[in-house]
Amino acid sequence: MLRLIRYLLIVVILCLGGLWGAAWLWREPDESVADAFVRRVAGFAGPQGTSAPPAPGTVAMPPGVKLGGAFSLVDNTGKNVTEKDFAGRWLVVYFGYSFCPDVCPTELGNIAAAMDELGPQSEKITPVFISVDPERDRPANLNEYVALFHPRLVGLTGSIEQVTEVARRYRVYFRKETRTDNADYLMDHSSFIYLVGPDGMVKTVLRPQSSPETIAGAVRAQLRNL
Ligand code: NI
């Protein structure tokens, strides 16, 4: 009997530990881990609010998770911008870096093709590329880079602190790959595509390497829901 109680206690502790970990990972930008933990536990106890099923090719966000929000960056023309400069518009946001040898160009190509696929609807969308390599991605080279993909693609960069902060709000992972043999380096980074609503918050997360059709479909699904 005592052994059973001890066993149950260990299970409970492991569950709470897991919830604490989940709370840490998925807490909102300005939320403490403790608050997020309480919300998680409450979420287990009660039913969740009903939300529309995610569009094909998209990632379901855990209930209560909010991505996006405030940022302060520099655009490809050298102008300081914040989320307020994009308020009222739909954005397709991708994080990467212009020196990326393969993944970023492919993803940006897919986003540009999705814009073409959307036709006149694409006028409601601003595609945005946020650099996770602010050391090398300065406005001037970013300006040349974005023009390769789409005439309306906006490139954003900033200080390392500014980029780290916006990446944190979108839960984007990035890390410099250290190399001793060469001055060049690669950035390891997550590769999700974010559909951001007029309020600056992420509405849909698309998997890496989503096809132009999938991206366009997710945009259409959001615009239909208005
Ligand atoms: Ni890349």
Side-chain angles (χ1 to χ4, degrees):
M1 188 60 193
L2 213 84
R3 187 176 291 177
L4 181 70
I5 290 171
R6 199 180 300 160
Y7 173 74
L8 284 174
L9 208 65
I10 289 171
V11 168
V12 167
I13 288 169
L14 285 178
C15 285
L16 288 176
L19 280 173
W20 186 270
W24 179 82
L25 194 65
W26 292 109
R27 72 188 189 279
E28 289 177 29
D30 301 316
E31 192 177 33
S32 74
V33 179
D35 288 347
F37 178 70
V38 169
R39 192 162 51 76
R40 287 257 131 196
V41 173
F44 262 78
Q48 297 295 329
T50 51
S51 56
T58 64
V59 181
M61 284 192 283
V65 168
K66 290 201 173 77
L67 303 182
F71 62 77
S72 175
L73 294 164
V74 182
D75 76 6
N76 53 296
T77 68
K79 190 177 137 224
N80 291 320
V81 292
T82 71
E83 78 289 352
K84 295 192 182 75
D85 292 280
F86 299 92
R89 294 199 55 79
W90 284 86
L91 312 177
V92 175
V93 176
Y94 181 72
F95 289 76
Y97 67 114
S98 73
F99 289 80
C100 182
D102 41 30
V103 178
C104 292
T106 307
E107 301 284 2
L108 290 172
N110 286 343
I111 290 170
M115 295 289 285
D116 293 342
E117 167 108 10
L118 283 164
Q121 268 190 317
S122 73
E123 282 157 33
K124 294 180 181 156
I125 313 290
T126 302
V128 177
F129 176 60
I130 303 181
S131 175
V132 294
D133 184 18
E135 272 180 67
R136 288 183 295 186
D137 279 337
R138 300 320 302 159
N141 77 292
L142 213 47
N143 196 41
E144 284 175 31
Y145 187 70
V146 292
L148 297 174
F149 296 95
H150 193 274
R152 292 203 292 108
L153 177 60
V154 175
L156 299 179
T157 184
S159 66
I160 290 177
E161 292 74 23
Q162 286 174 320
V163 165
T164 303
E165 175 60 16
V166 68
R168 188 180 72 83
R169 285 181 179 268
Y170 282 78
R171 291 206 174 73
V172 167
Y173 160 82
F174 70 98
R175 193 171 68 88
K176 197 170 170 176
E177 300 263 292
T178 45
R179 288 177 56 162
T180 48
D181 56 327
N182 199 317
D184 284 343
Y185 57 89
L186 297 174
M187 298 294 295
D188 192 13
H189 65 93
S190 53
S191 196
F192 292 97
I193 297 167
Y194 303 88
L195 185 54
V196 176
D199 61 352
M201 302 308 293
V202 172
K203 306 301 176 194
T204 306
V205 181
L206 287 143
R207 290 178 205 290
Q209 280 160 47
S210 292
S211 68
E213 293 74 26
T214 303
I215 301 167
V219 169
R220 281 199 198 100
Q222 280 296 339
L223 296 181
R224 257 202 308 273
N225 289 339
L226 293 182

